[in-house]
Structure formats: C-alpha cells, structure tokens
Amino acid sequence: MNYRSILVTALVLGLSTTSAWSATSDNSILEQGQYLVRAADCAACHTKEGGTPYAGGAPIATPFGTVYGTNITPDKEYGIGDYSADEFYHVLTEGELPDGTQLYPAMPYTAYHSIPRQDSDAMYAYLMSLKPVNIEAPETDLSWPFSMRWTLNFWNLMYAGESPGDAKGESRQWQRGRYMVDVLGHCGECHTPRNALGALERDNHLQGGVIAGYEAPSLTSDELAGRGWTPEDLQTFLREGISDQGTMFSEMYTVFHHSTRYLRDEDLKAMSLYLMGENPPEARIVDAGQSAGADSPGRRHYLNVCAGCHGAQGQGVPNVAVAMAGNTTLRLDNGRNLVKVIHDGIGAQKFSGFERMQAMPSFADKLSSAEIAELVNYLRQTWGGLDATIDAAAVDELTAKNE
C-alpha cells in the first residue's frame, strides 16, 4: 500500500468513527443548517438550564405532566448519532422515531410538516457536526391516560393537520414570512389557544394562548396595531429583544436568545409582513393624559414602589427599567401578564449590544392582592387606555401556585 492509499484509508477510518455526514458537508451547508436550527429554536427545548447545548433535559411543563427535551447531539446511545438523514427527516416532520415510537406533540412536528427535505438535510448536517454528548434525558412524566403513547395515533388522526398550501397570489416575501412564523418558528404553538386535549385551535390561529402562566398575546395584525406595533417596531423587537413597546420576558426571552436575535433582517422583515400584512393597520397611540385620578390609591402605589425605576411620569430609564408609555403589556385586554410581573418580578435581562434591564423585584410580600389590583388598574388606565377591571379576586386567581 503506497502513502496515498494509506492516507485515504486513514481518512475513511477516521470518518467512520466521527461523523461521515459532517465531514462530507461543506461549510455553506453547515452554516445554513445552524441558521435553520436557530430559526426553529431547537435549543430552547433541547438544552437544559446550564447544560450543554442540544444535549436535552429541558423540562417542558404541560397540563398533562412534564415532557423533557431529548438529546439531539450525534451521540449514538442517547442522541441522534444512529439516525440517517431519511430518519431525521421523518422524526422532524412526522414526530415518529425510527423504532416507531411516537413523540409527544410538545415537539412541534405538527408545525414542522412543511419543512422541505433540503432544509431538513442542512439541519441534520449541522447537528451531526456537533460534539456527541453522552447524556440521557429524563423520562417524560405524564398522567394517565396521556402516558400511553399509543393514544397519540388517534390524537394525530384528529389534530396533526395537513401542510398549508402554496397560498397562491401572495408575494414570495409573504410566503417566506409564513414559513418563518408558522413552520420553522412554530409561533402558533404558544400564540394559539389549545383545546382540552392540548391540540391547537386552528380556527383561532395566532389569536393568543397561555404558556407557563403567562399570556402569549395575539399576533393578528389588528391586535398588534391595537397595542401600538408597527412592522418596523416588530422587526426591532425580534432582533434586539427590546423596543419602544417594552422587552421580551418569560418564555419569549428564551426565544430571543436562542433564535430571533440570529435571524437575518430580510427574514425578520418577511415575518413582520406576514403578521401585519402588506398594508398594516395604523398603530394605535394612547393619550396618557386620560389617566386615573392623580391622587388615586393606584397612583400612590406607583410612586411608592415603581417610580424610582420607571420614572414619575412613566418615562423609563435606559438600561434600568422600561417606559410605561407605549408599553404593550399594559395594553393587553387581559391583565394576566401585568399582574404576574408585579407579583413575581422579572430577572435581570441582557439584550443585543450593551442593552440590559435591571431585575424587577417581586412585590408579592410588599403589596396585598387589593393593592396590586389598584396598581394594575392605574397602569392600565393611565398608559393602556383601558378600564379598571382587575380586582383582588382576579389577582389571587392569576397568582395561585397552579397558574
């Protein structure tokens, strides 16, 4: 055997012990795969807090129990190391493992149905290029009868749905936006209400849902504009995590860090066009002069516990606390999110560049439920243009431990 043959043999043997796919994939495919994996926000569910990226273990709370994100590194024992590209495509788009095991729909295969094979192959190439991590994800823990996976066959027949059509007549940018929002981004998984069996109410697509106790607001064009959004602000929010309408928090803060901050401007523009339309509704401006009484209990609570960071006139302080004026959380019809952030607080936040916000403390031990209701009503009336509809009972209900 000459030197050249030895070298070739050595390379082939080397490939067989690492990843044949990664070694035969050029950098452009790997870069595209990384972009698509980020756009699909895979890290959010497949990386536990403080853990190795994509090694699994992240708990996903559902009304039926806890599902854990699996290991999707190339590890052959616990990851996808033994998957072929065909098998990966089947798992991704149909939610079924090579051995026939059906995945729970916490994995959004119902949205991923429309991922084209070319994109799936790029995602597979990128994931197979990662370092294998030999870690087993915890067992999913669901209550009976949801713990019986065979029942998912019936669930899929009823709710898995069909892929959307070509939407003939819509622009290429609109269709790209729909792909980024409805398929890769699977935004509807959080922003669409669900029925008693956990399936999306497709007739109410993107009209808002509840996840981890917080409202994922409606993303329809009228609702977005009604809360003061413009397409340009929406692009900024997705790219920076912060805009004149406030900051990302709760589950969306994770989505920003793992996904939207990496998206190209043309894709962010396509997403906003899809959500708000070719001719978006005019953003509604709230006249903060139409406020609750200057000496109301809510105003006194605001001055006592909020104004030090948010400003006496709600103007906010850069890198400390967001402004109240224009804040979309104050303008939601449902006061759920405002009640919960006041009751539970928000951790310190970091955004693109040097933007950041200081931690907002919990006021659960400083304000009673009645006082939180007075403060929430003051905020919603003053900067949200809404009526005072929150009472102590509503605060108790929204902040109960099972929420």
Side-chain angles (χ1 to χ4, degrees), residues 264-276:
R264 304 180 186 112
D265 281 347
E266 60 264 32
D267 278 337
L268 296 176
K269 188 174 183 178
M271 293 170 73
S272 68
L273 183 143
Y274 170 67
L275 291 171
M276 301 203 71

Side-chain angles (χ1 to χ4, degrees), residues 164-240:
D166 292 335
K168 293 181 179 177
E170 301 290 352
S171 67
R172 291 184 62 181
Q173 190 178 33
W174 185 95
Q175 299 209 34
R176 177 64 178 177
R178 184 176 68 165
Y179 180 59
M180 296 297 294
V181 170
D182 287 345
V183 181
L184 279 178
H186 57 280
C187 303
E189 295 292 315
C190 295
H191 290 272
T192 298
R194 294 178 181 273
N195 64 21
L197 293 178
L200 298 177
E201 297 177 6
R202 296 187 180 277
D203 291 341
N204 297 313
H205 182 56
L206 295 180
Q207 294 185 22
V210 174
I211 179 170
Y214 282 85
E215 179 182 357
S218 169
L219 299 181
T220 63
S221 57
D222 287 340
E223 291 285 343
L224 284 167
R227 300 197 302 272
W229 289 97
T230 67
E232 293 75 19
D233 288 337
L234 198 54
Q235 293 168 47
T236 300
F237 192 62
L238 292 171
R239 183 180 61 247
E240 309 294 339

